[in-house]
C-alpha cells in the first residue's frame, strides 16, 4: 500500500523511471478492487494521472490503458482521456471498456482518426446510435468492419440505407447477407437487385442464351428467398429473442435461468433462451417443447450438458406450459428420465449437430441414403 505522502514523494521524482513507477503504482491501486483507497487518496491519484498521462512515454501509456481497460472502478475522466489518445494507447480502452458513454464514443468517431473509427466498429458491444455515427463517416472500410461485427446493433432504417448502398459498394453485400438482424423484407429486396445486377454482367460479358440465363437466375433467387422465408420466425424479431440474444452475448444463460423463466410463465423467453443456448431454430425448439413425449427436449438438454435433476424440473415445468398437460403423470417423468440416462452426451451432441444443419441438406442426405439402399438391394 502506498499512502498519500508516498505518492506525493514519487510525484516529485522527475526522472523517466520515477514517473513510470508512479504511473504503475497508481494504476495498480485504481484497478485492484481489494485495495482500500480513501476518497482523498483516489482524488490525489486521479489528479496525478491526469497530469502525467501525456508526460510519460507511449509504451507506458499503452500499458496503463491495457491495465485499466477492464477495471470497473477507474475514474471516468481517465478512461475518456486514454480513449482519445493515440490509437496505440486508445485501442484497449475502445475495444474493451464499458465505461465509455455513447456520446463519448460518437465524439471519438467524429473527431479522431480512421484507426479510432475502425477500433470503435470492432467493440464487443456497439449500440445503434454509435453504429449510426460510424455509418455517417461514409468510409467503406469502417462500415464494412461494422457490418462484420456480430455484436453491433444496427437500426432497421440504417440497415435499409446500407442495403441501398450495397448496390454500388460490392464489399457490403456479403457481410449484410450474413447478418442475423437483416429483416426478410430487406433480404428479399437485396436478392432481387443482386440477381438483376448479376444478369446484366453475364449478358454483357458472355455469349449466352438469355432465356436459359433468366430461368436459372429465377430458380436460384426463388430458392434463396424460400430459405429467407423458412428461417424467418415471427418471434425472431420480437422482444423475447432480442433479450435472449443480449443475455447470450453476456454468457449468462444458465439452466437455473431457464427454470426461472418457466416458473414465471415466460414461455417465449424460455424458447428464445433455449434456442440461443442450443443454436437451434426457434420453430424446432417450439416443436420439441410441445410434442407429446418430450424426447426432443431431452436430447437437447443432454447435448448441452444440463444436469439430470435440472432437466427434470425443466421437463415438468414445460409440460405444465401445455394447455392439455397441467398435471404430469409420474410415470411420464420416470420414462423420460430413463431415456435421459440411456442417451450418452456424445450421441445427443451428434443428433443436435444434425438438427442444426439446413433442412434441405438433411433431405438430400436422406435421398442419397435411400438411393444407396436401393442399389444395394438390386
Amino acid at each position: 500500500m502506498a499512502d498519500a505522502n508516498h505518492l506525493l514523494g514519487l510525484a516529485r521524482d522527475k526522472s523517466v523511471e520515477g514517473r513510470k513507477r508512479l504511473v504503475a503504482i497508481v494504476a495498480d491501486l485504481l484497478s485492484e478492487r481489494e485495495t482500500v483507497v480513501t476518497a482523498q487518496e483516489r482524488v490525489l491519484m486521479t489528479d496525478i494521472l491526469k497530469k502525467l498521462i501525456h508526460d510519460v512515454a507511449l509504451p507506458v501509456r499503452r500499458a496503463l490503458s491495457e491495465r485499466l481497460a477492464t477495471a470497473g472502478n477507474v475514474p471516468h475522466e481517465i478512461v475518456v482521456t486514454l480513449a482519445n489518445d493515440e490509437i496505440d494507447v486508445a485501442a484497449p480502452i475502445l475495444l474493451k471498456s464499458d465505461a465509455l458513454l455513447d456520446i463519448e464514443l460518437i465524439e471519438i468517431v467524429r473527431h479522431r482518426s480512421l484507426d479510432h473509427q475502425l477500433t470503435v466498429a470492432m467493440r464487443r458491444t456497439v449500440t445503434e446510435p454509435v453504429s449510426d455515427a460510424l455509418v455517417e463517416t461514409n468510409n467503406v472500410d469502417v462500415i464494412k468492419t461494422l457490418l462484420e461485427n456480430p455484436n453491433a446493433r444496427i437500426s432497421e432504417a440504417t440497415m435499409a440505407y446500407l442495403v441501398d448502398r450495397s448496390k454500388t459498394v460490392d464489399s457490403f453485400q456479403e457481410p449484410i447477407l450474413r447478418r442475423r438482424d437483416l429483416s426478410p423484407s430487406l433480404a428479399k429486396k437485396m436478392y432481387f437487385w443482386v440477381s438483376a445486377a448479376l444478369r446484366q454482367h453475364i449478358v454483357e460479358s458472355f455469349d449466352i442464351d438469355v432465356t436459359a440465363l433468366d430461368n436459372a437466375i429465377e430458380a436460384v433467387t426463388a430458392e434463396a428467398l424460400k430459405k429467407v422465408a423458412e428461417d424467418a420466425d415471427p418471434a425472431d424479431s420480437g422482444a423475447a429473442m432480442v433479450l435472449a440474444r443480449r443475455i447470450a452475448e453476456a454468457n449468462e444463460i444458465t439452466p437455473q435461468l431457464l427454470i426461472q423463466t418457466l416458473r414465471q410463465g415466460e414461455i417465449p423467453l424460455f424458447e428464445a433462451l433455449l434456442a440461443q443456448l442450443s443454436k437451434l431454430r426457434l420453430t424446432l425448439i417450439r416443436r420439441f417443447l410441445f410434442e407429446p413425449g418430450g424426447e426432443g427436449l431431452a436430447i437437447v438438454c443432454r447435448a448441452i450438458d444440463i444436469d439430470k435433476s435440472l432437466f427434470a424440473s425443466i421437463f415438468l415445468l414445460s409440460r405444465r406450459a401445455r394447455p392439455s398437460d397441467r398435471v404430469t403423470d409420474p410415470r411420464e417423468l420416470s420414462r423420460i428420465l430413463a431415456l435421459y440416462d440411456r442417451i450418452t452426451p456424445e450421441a445427443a451432441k451428434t443428433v443436435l449437430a444434425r438438427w442444426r444443419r439446413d433442412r434441405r441438406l438433411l433431405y438430400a442426405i436422406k435421398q442419397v441414403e435411400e438411393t444407396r439402399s436401393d442399389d444395394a438391394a438390386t
Side-chain angles (χ1 to χ4, degrees), residues 15-298:
S15 68
V16 173
E17 285 303 316
R19 298 211 163 182
K20 285 174 61 177
R21 185 182 173 199
L22 176 60
V23 169
I25 291 175
V26 172
D28 287 343
L29 290 172
L30 287 175
S31 61
E32 292 179 5
R33 295 178 182 176
E34 295 81 7
T35 303
V36 179
V37 180
T38 67
Q40 181 183 1
E41 288 172 332
R42 178 168 290 276
V43 170
L44 175 62
M45 288 186 289
T46 302
D47 188 54
I48 290 172
L49 275 185
K50 283 169 60 180
K51 291 177 178 177
L52 292 185
I53 263 181
H54 295 296
D55 197 31
V56 292
L58 189 144
V60 178
R61 302 202 308 276
R62 168 79 185 190
L64 176 65
S65 178
E66 290 176 344
R67 184 63 185 269
L68 301 182
T70 55
N73 57 349
V74 181
H76 189 75
E77 53 197 308
I78 298 299
V79 175
V80 174
T81 299
L82 291 170
N84 280 276
D85 205 327
E86 296 180 43
I87 190 59
D88 284 346
V89 177
I93 296 289
L94 292 178
L95 286 173
K96 302 175 185 177
S97 178
D98 295 326
L100 291 169
L101 303 177
D102 280 358
I103 187 63
E104 292 160 347
L105 288 166
I106 291 170
E107 285 297 305
I108 290 170
V109 168
R110 289 176 177 169
H111 301 297
R112 298 298 294 161
S113 70
L114 172 61
D115 287 333
H116 285 75
Q117 295 169 350
L118 289 168
T119 306
V120 171
M122 292 186 287
R123 278 173 63 83
R124 56 186 179 185
T125 55
V126 183
T127 64
E128 289 184 4
V130 176
S131 291
D132 288 346
L134 290 165
V135 171
E136 287 169 6
T137 66
N138 209 29
N139 183 283
V140 170
D141 291 332
V142 171
I143 296 173
K144 183 173 181 288
T145 301
L146 175 70
L147 288 169
E148 291 172 343
N149 183 351
N151 297 321
R153 296 203 292 275
I154 303 175
S155 69
E156 181 75 7
T158 300
M159 188 66 77
Y161 166 75
L162 292 175
V163 167
D164 284 335
R165 282 285 312 277
S166 65
K167 292 180 182 179
T168 55
V169 185
D170 294 345
S171 60
F172 289 177
Q173 295 171 9
E174 183 177 353
I176 286 177
L177 288 172
R178 288 180 179 274
R179 289 196 65 85
R180 294 186 62 183
D181 52 358
L182 180 67
S183 68
S185 61
L186 287 177
K188 183 176 181 180
K189 178 179 180 181
M190 213 170 159
Y191 277 121
F192 275 127
W193 72 252
V194 167
S195 298
L198 176 63
R199 180 187 185 280
Q200 185 67 23
H201 172 73
I202 293 174
V203 168
E204 291 175 353
S205 305
F206 302 97
D207 182 15
I208 192 169
D209 184 336
V210 175
T211 302
L213 174 63
D214 286 343
N215 290 338
I217 289 178
E218 182 180 2
V220 171
T221 303
E223 184 68 14
L225 292 176
K226 181 182 176 183
K227 185 179 187 309
V228 171
E230 288 174 350
D231 291 345
D233 198 299
D236 190 59
S237 58
M241 184 56 75
V242 172
L243 178 58
R245 284 175 182 162
R246 291 179 181 174
I247 296 173
E249 289 169 4
N251 294 319
E252 292 179 355
I253 300 180
T254 63
Q256 291 77 10
L257 180 60
L258 294 174
I259 292 170
Q260 182 182 353
T261 56
L262 281 173
R263 282 180 176 153
Q264 293 174 350
E266 299 286 349
I267 306 304
L269 180 56
F270 170 81
E271 294 168 345
L273 289 170
L274 190 56
Q276 288 290 318
L277 198 57
S278 63
K279 296 180 174 58
L280 290 175
R281 296 182 299 277
L282 195 57
T283 50
L284 199 56
I285 292 295
R286 285 175 177 160
R287 195 180 86 189
F288 292 156
L289 186 62
F290 292 102
E291 68 181 1
E295 291 85 357
L297 184 63

Side-chain angles (χ1 to χ4, degrees), residues 305-318:
D305 299 318
I306 289 180
D307 183 77
K308 179 180 176 182
S309 62
L310 296 175
F311 165 70
S313 297
I314 291 173
F315 176 77
L316 290 172
L317 290 167
S318 67

Side-chain angles (χ1 to χ4, degrees), residues 341-358:
D341 285 333
R342 291 198 301 272
I343 303 170
T344 65
E346 293 73 20
K349 285 178 170 62
T350 299
V351 174
L352 193 69
R354 191 178 181 89
W355 283 339
R356 286 171 180 157
R357 295 192 191 107
D358 191 293

